[in-house]
Amino acid sequence: SRAAGASAVLERVSSPLLLIDEQRRIHYANPAAQRILADDGAVLIDRAGKLQAIDPDDDTRLLLALRQLRLSRDSYLGEGSQPQECTTLRLPLPASHLHLNLYLFALRPEASLGAFGPAPLAMALLHDPRQRLELDPFMVAAAFDLTPAESQLAVGLARGAAIADLAEQRGVSVETLRSQLKSVFQKTGTGRQSELVSLLATLPE
């Protein structure tokens, strides 16, 4: 069945992933997402089966981000606003300059042929920059049409390495890597290293 197929796909995703409805009820959370929600320094938690931000202002922003998807016809977005298919929310992590990135994607029954059930849901992908990324350079290259050298650079940066260290490891100049990085930015549609790392975090490990 379609539902069984969707469940099989979700179970293969190693990145933190949740399915929530417009009232923020959690319909599914994979083990990686459960670990983030249960962490002592969590900014998002599972409170009685609902996804909630610890900070009240962040919680309001989460609610508004969900409404931007307009999962129900009754969602009010403001005059002239159009529903979005995806939206991003950055939540400050405590005692850090880093943010937990939350990517919300609309799952509408008419578009998914009901694979996720009869009601519209949001797929939430979480990226905690404090977690080490284990990416496959081959998959990164295939996903964004990168050369092997560009892919190795992107993965190295995602793992927290500095350009100078990567240049020394590979026996090339920093200028060479900066030139490759410009090409990586162009191919991935990013403009900063932080944006590149966030984008790579959405790929399965």
Side-chain angles (χ1 to χ4, degrees):
S1 69
R2 294 192 184 102
S7 296
V9 169
L10 292 176
E11 289 170 3
R12 293 177 64 89
V13 177
S14 57
S15 300
L17 178 149
L18 305 101
L19 296 182
I20 58 177
D21 60 25
E22 195 167 55
Q23 287 71 45
R24 298 183 292 174
R25 287 188 294 262
I26 299 173
H27 292 246
Y28 173 84
N30 69 1
Q34 292 173 22
R35 286 193 294 272
I36 287 183
L37 299 182
D39 185 76
D40 288 340
V43 295
L44 286 174
I45 60 171
D46 177 349
R47 177 163 289 168
K50 286 190 175 185
L51 184 65
Q52 185 171 336
I54 292 290
D55 182 87
D57 290 338
D58 288 343
D59 199 53
T60 299
R61 291 171 56 218
L62 172 60
L63 181 62
L64 293 175
L66 268 172
R67 285 183 178 172
Q68 288 178 354
L69 300 179
R70 189 175 278 173
L71 296 177
S72 72
R73 292 187 178 89
D74 298 329
S75 300
Y76 178 72
L77 301 175
E79 199 66 34
S81 298
Q82 295 297 317
Q84 300 181 17
E85 293 307 309
C86 62
T87 186
T88 305
L89 191 61
R90 301 177 74 235
L91 305 175
L93 291 165
S96 169
H97 65 284
L98 301 173
H99 292 77
L100 177 75
N101 294 310
L102 173 64
Y103 304 90
L104 294 168
F105 301 88
L107 296 176
R108 309 186 196 280
E110 62 271 22
S112 63
L113 301 177
F116 298 95
L121 298 172
M123 177 184 292
L125 289 174
L126 305 176
H127 170 235
D128 186 339
R130 299 170 298 183
Q131 304 296 319
R132 181 179 175 84
L133 289 176
E134 296 298 339
L135 295 168
D136 181 348
F138 177 80
M139 187 177 66
V140 172
F144 301 106
D145 196 25
L146 304 181
T147 67
E150 291 168 350
S151 176
Q152 291 170 10
L153 172 60
V155 170
L157 294 174
R159 291 174 176 168
I163 283 188
D165 294 334
L166 293 172
E168 183 178 352
Q169 291 170 14
R170 294 165 57 180
V172 298
S173 69
V174 171
E175 289 72 24
T176 296
L177 290 195
R178 291 196 185 281
S179 176
Q180 291 177 357
L181 183 58
K182 287 182 181 178
S183 178
V184 171
F185 284 158
Q186 182 178 18
K187 291 179 179 180
T188 59
T190 57
R192 297 194 303 266
Q193 288 188 35
S194 59
E195 293 176 358
L196 175 63
V197 171
S198 294
L199 176 64
L200 294 181
T202 66
L203 294 174
E205 296 180 2

